[in-house]
Amino acid sequence: MTSDAPGWDAIDAALERLYPGVEPKHFATLIKWRLGGPDPLDGISYYPRLDPVPHWHIVSYGMTELYEKVSETAEESGWGFEFTFRLRRDPADEDPPIWAANFLQNLARYVFETGNWFEVNHHMDLNGPIALDRETLIRAIAFTEDPELGTIETPHGVVQFLQIVGLTPDEYAATQAWSVRDLLDLLAERLPLLVTDLDRGSATDDPDIAEAVEEGRRRDGSATGTLAVAEFAWRPDGDLIRLVVGAHIAERVALTLLGRLPFGRPLTVNGPESTAVFTSGSYLVGAEEESSTLEVVLTVEALDGLVSVLIPEAGVRAVPAAESLIVEITRSGLRDSDGNVVETVG
């Protein structure tokens, strides 16, 4: 008899191989997305684990084609991935954290509504704590292939299990200044299976980790070629160009510039309505008429000047050695998933 959900069955089979005979805690969506419901994921399963550390292994159903093949891409099923999330737990805790399911639904909703998908080594600033009901330093995420589930073949195409890894702000800054892959390799030495622990401090507080990050940044530069940020814009200001940068992202932009331009690599910063492309060379600032893209070519001195004013402190500052640039740092309101401001920076 042919299953009416061959994609779902393929995911179940992969999990049965990892957890033979284990019945997960499963939460099903009442009204499916394709029927007009608010949640893109049809289901989310929680598997309790004790090794190598106690955690929930959470797996989504719905980023791929669970029932029938409808996309034109034969090689991949749906978006090509399902989310996984490993979350540290108390061994005695038998009640799955519901907030984690809501979090996965929010990520799925972002993909379905924007068309922007996630891949290995992608990253995202959450602009606030990952869990609303907990004091935690985990405020950003990165993506890697789930180390146990990997990638599978299904009747509808390839499915990669894409694991979400929680990061602190300092760790997230290191991914911008250096490399997501290399930082996750360092974290894996401390965090078995890259389990997200809401109670942990920043790995970069360890002098050895901090030194490894700094050495990597100096040696390799930054692998981040594009920053997509909500708090960035530019506009003419008389004979000058004003860069408007949120306090929350100012240092991140500075670190990424230092990891790109001295290595001969450009950096593109995308705001909601405008873009700036920074490169190294003979000083030049300008844009084509009516263009939303600004070209900024910086000398070594101008780069140092720009970095010196990209600080998380509100105000308007001239850029040393870049006479046609001024920078306005605006206060940032960090919001939770409900849109409430939970912290102000700057």
Side-chain angles (χ1 to χ4, degrees):
M1 182 175 179
T2 302
S3 169
D4 60 357
W8 191 301
D9 292 344
I11 297 171
D12 279 349
L15 289 163
E16 175 64 23
R17 289 191 292 271
L18 184 58
Y19 300 108
V22 175
E23 187 68 26
K25 305 277 189 179
H26 185 80
F27 294 86
T29 300
L30 294 178
I31 304 176
K32 300 184 187 304
W33 179 269
R34 66 182 185 278
L35 299 177
D39 296 323
L41 300 176
D42 285 8
I44 297 172
S45 286
Y46 291 73
Y47 288 83
R49 285 278 292 265
L50 291 175
D51 64 289
V53 295
H55 69 279
W56 293 105
H57 192 186
I58 309 168
V59 182
S60 75
Y61 292 75
M63 300 304 297
T64 57
E65 292 161 307
L66 303 175
Y67 310 103
E68 59 183 339
K69 184 67 177 177
V70 295
S71 68
E72 296 180 357
T73 304
E75 294 80 9
E76 293 182 337
S77 175
W79 294 101
F81 66 88
E82 291 289 353
F83 292 115
T84 77
F85 187 32
R86 296 175 185 267
L87 186 62
R88 187 72 181 258
R89 73 181 182 98
D90 186 317
D93 190 358
E94 297 183 357
D95 295 323
I98 301 303
W99 70 262
N102 294 330
F103 175 60
L104 264 60
Q105 291 285 10
N106 285 337
L107 290 178
R109 196 172 296 111
Y110 166 81
V111 175
F112 275 71
E113 290 179 349
T114 68
N116 299 323
W117 62 90
F118 297 114
E119 297 179 1
V120 168
N121 297 329
H122 281 191
H123 47 78
M124 175 179 282
D125 186 349
L126 302 177
N127 292 317
I130 193 172
L132 303 184
D133 59 348
R134 292 281 299 274
E135 287 289 332
T136 179
L137 289 178
I138 303 302
R139 298 182 170 215
I141 55 174
F143 296 89
T144 190
E145 184 173 76
D146 188 293
E148 293 182 319
L149 291 173
T151 298
I152 63 171
E153 295 280 350
T154 79
H156 297 152
V158 170
V159 174
Q160 182 179 50
F161 291 97
L162 198 59
Q163 182 171 321
I164 301 160
V165 182
L167 302 176
T168 69
D170 288 345
E171 292 160 0
Y172 186 63
T175 69
Q176 311 293 284
W178 186 26
S179 158
V180 174
R181 183 192 67 249
D182 291 314
L183 179 75
L184 292 182
D185 286 345
L186 285 177
L187 291 183
E189 299 173 5
R190 299 168 55 109
L191 306 174
L193 295 179
L194 290 171
V195 171
T196 294
D197 183 351
L198 300 189
D199 295 324
R200 73 175 180 86
S202 179
T204 55
D205 290 341
D206 182 329
D208 291 338
I209 297 290
E211 182 179 355
V213 169
E214 181 59 21
E215 286 182 358
R217 186 191 69 79
R218 290 197 301 262
R219 180 186 65 245
D220 305 326
S222 171
T224 299
T226 301
L227 291 176
V229 290
E231 298 177 297
F232 177 82
W234 67 269
R235 64 173 182 267
D237 189 345
D239 294 331
L240 307 177
I241 295 292
R242 178 180 294 233
L243 301 179
V244 183
V245 184
H248 176 58
I249 65 165
E251 289 184 320
R252 192 195 321 164
V253 174
L255 285 171
T256 313
L257 284 168
L258 288 174
R260 299 291 295 180
L261 271 60
F263 291 83
R265 305 169 192 160
L267 175 66
T268 300
V269 182
N270 288 324
E273 297 180 356
S274 58
T275 295
V277 179
F278 297 88
T279 56
S280 58
S282 300
Y283 180 68
L284 171 70
V285 176
E288 297 290 338
E289 190 173 350
E290 302 301 323
S291 173
S292 62
T293 299
L294 178 71
E295 180 185 9
V296 183
V297 184
L298 299 172
T299 63
V300 172
E301 295 78 15
L303 173 60
D304 290 342
L306 178 56
V307 167
S308 73
V309 297
L310 286 171
I311 57 176
E313 184 178 326
V316 179
R317 302 172 181 89
V319 178
E323 61 278 359
S324 56
L325 278 179
I326 56 175
V327 168
E328 178 183 353
I329 304 294
T330 60
R331 288 186 176 84
S332 298
L334 305 187
R335 300 178 182 274
D336 61 26
S337 59
D338 295 324
N340 304 310
V341 175
V342 296
E343 183 179 343
T344 300
V345 179

